[in-house]
Amino acid sequence: MTAVVRILLRRVLLLVPLMLGIVLFVFLVMRFSDIDPASAFFQGANPTPEQLHDFREENGLLDPLPVRYVVFVGDLLHGDMGTSALTRGEVIDQVMTALPLTMQLTFLGLGIAMVLALLGGVTAAIYRDRLPDQIIRVVSLTGVAAPGFWLALLMIQYLAVDLGWFPTGGYINPADSFTGWLKTMTLPALALSLPVAAQLTRIVRTSVVEELDKDYVRTAIGSGLPPRVVVGRNVLRNALVNPLTVLGLRVGYLLGGAVVIETIFSLPGMGKLMIDAVKNGDPAVVQGVVLTTAFGFVIVNLVIDILYLLVNPRLRDAAA
């Protein structure tokens, strides 16, 4: 069994207790919250105490917490996230309807952030301590300090309202119109990605500068290899190891930031679904959205770990 397979198996096995821990945390938070599932189910109907008691008994709400947790985990394993108190529909159906849009927004924002970070970080490193580097550092520092919702509001005001280049909100399915989809997703993706791009730019710059100062780079350039070949083939591959480890954490920021961004741009994704569920007192939907987002974050970090193994041979050798 190779070192890579052993490491991957170890990572996958660690996911089991991690997932159970996430489920336990969300389960306890929701059970000790002020939202009563029975009251939420009968909201606006003025139920009698007997009706509330019957509902709690039928749905196992009167069972001990350990029993309810085991039942809850078993339902999740069968794809059952509960029933919405507002729509009376399955929570999993609502989550699966909203999830594709959130994934589109998250990965579009991630792609923009990676491209901007590579261009800015590498350019700043090559021209370090010169004008391009100083400009990029100032811009990235400003981007780190600027919250995504503030950028979203500025973009709506100037790019959508004043200039009319983009719609102020709404969503168009790419199957209906790819151009329309791109217009509706550009501003949300930019607002979501720019703070992450600014953070990654600084990390990429630092990593590339450290790599450029190593002896093998000076030797390769001194032997006649063009600098762009050395940077493209060797420097970038070695320098991107550290930014890759940070990327997984930034994906969590993108998933969390999508909640606010989707609300601002009226996008029917996971964020808007959770905000509406909180406002309407729908605990099952809130629980389903939080669990899905947490699981997505864990899975993305597993993918980042795999990529880290592929680009970092020293880690594979250490595990051999």
Side-chain angles (χ1 to χ4, degrees):
M1 185 181 297
T2 65
V4 175
V5 174
R6 284 201 302 272
I7 295 175
L8 291 180
L9 284 177
R10 194 181 308 135
R11 294 283 198 277
V12 173
L13 290 176
L14 286 174
L15 287 183
V16 176
L18 180 59
M19 294 285 197
L20 290 175
I22 291 173
V23 172
L24 177 61
F25 176 77
V26 174
F27 173 81
L28 292 177
V29 169
M30 295 304 300
R31 295 308 174 273
F32 288 106
S33 68
D34 294 333
I35 302 177
D36 179 19
S39 300
F41 185 83
F42 289 105
Q43 55 183 316
N46 295 322
T48 63
E50 291 77 13
Q51 288 177 313
L52 291 174
H53 182 272
D54 291 342
F55 177 86
R56 295 188 181 105
E57 189 174 18
E58 290 174 4
N59 290 273
L61 299 177
L62 301 179
D63 296 336
L65 275 181
V67 175
R68 293 167 62 186
Y69 175 69
V70 172
V71 173
F72 181 61
V73 173
D75 290 341
L76 286 179
L77 292 176
H78 290 87
D80 183 4
M81 290 186 171
T83 303
S84 169
L86 185 65
T87 66
R88 305 297 193 266
E90 294 293 327
V91 173
I92 187 67
D93 295 335
Q94 297 185 44
V95 169
M96 289 298 103
T97 300
L99 183 60
L101 189 146
T102 299
M103 292 179 62
Q104 293 170 27
L105 178 59
T106 299
F107 286 105
L108 183 59
L110 181 63
I112 294 174
M114 291 173 61
V115 171
L116 292 178
L118 281 175
L119 292 176
V122 173
T123 302
I126 293 175
Y127 294 96
R128 56 177 154 173
D129 298 328
R130 285 180 276 177
L131 183 60
D133 180 27
Q134 295 172 356
I135 294 175
I136 291 173
R137 279 193 286 180
V138 170
V139 172
S140 63
L141 184 61
T142 304
V144 170
F149 72 89
W150 180 73
L151 292 174
L153 295 176
L154 286 182
M155 290 178 183
I156 291 175
Q157 179 62 47
Y158 293 107
L159 299 180
V161 176
D162 293 346
L163 298 177
W165 291 352
F166 300 96
T168 58
Y171 175 73
I172 297 177
N173 195 300
D176 299 329
S177 171
F178 180 78
T179 304
W181 172 82
L182 197 59
K183 285 185 177 181
T184 57
M185 296 295 286
T186 297
L187 291 188
L190 282 174
L192 190 63
S193 65
L194 289 181
V196 176
Q199 295 171 355
L200 289 177
T201 296
R202 297 168 65 84
I203 297 172
V204 170
R205 179 196 177 277
T206 301
S207 297
V208 174
V209 165
E210 291 177 354
E211 205 66 27
L212 288 173
D213 288 337
K214 292 185 177 179
D215 292 336
Y216 81 89
V217 176
R218 290 191 289 267
T219 301
I221 295 177
S223 64
L225 287 176
R228 64 178 180 275
V229 174
V230 178
V231 172
R233 290 183 179 176
N234 304 104
V235 172
L236 274 183
R237 180 174 180 178
N238 295 329
L240 292 183
V241 172
N242 290 333
L244 190 59
T245 60
V246 180
L247 188 61
L249 299 177
R250 297 283 75 83
V251 171
Y253 169 85
L254 291 172
L255 287 170
V259 173
V260 178
I261 299 300
E262 287 175 1
T263 304
I264 292 175
F265 287 94
S266 300
L267 297 174
M270 296 281 283
K272 190 174 185 302
L273 179 63
M274 186 170 72
I275 294 296
D276 291 343
V278 170
K279 290 192 298 185
N280 296 321
D282 200 341
V285 175
V286 175
Q287 185 174 261
V289 172
V290 172
L291 283 174
T292 304
T293 304
F295 290 163
F297 176 69
V298 170
I299 293 172
V300 168
N301 275 272
L302 176 63
V303 174
I304 296 296
D305 285 343
I306 296 173
L307 294 176
Y308 186 70
L309 286 173
L310 295 177
V311 300
N312 190 2
R314 288 175 295 181
L315 186 61
R316 299 197 299 268
D317 295 338

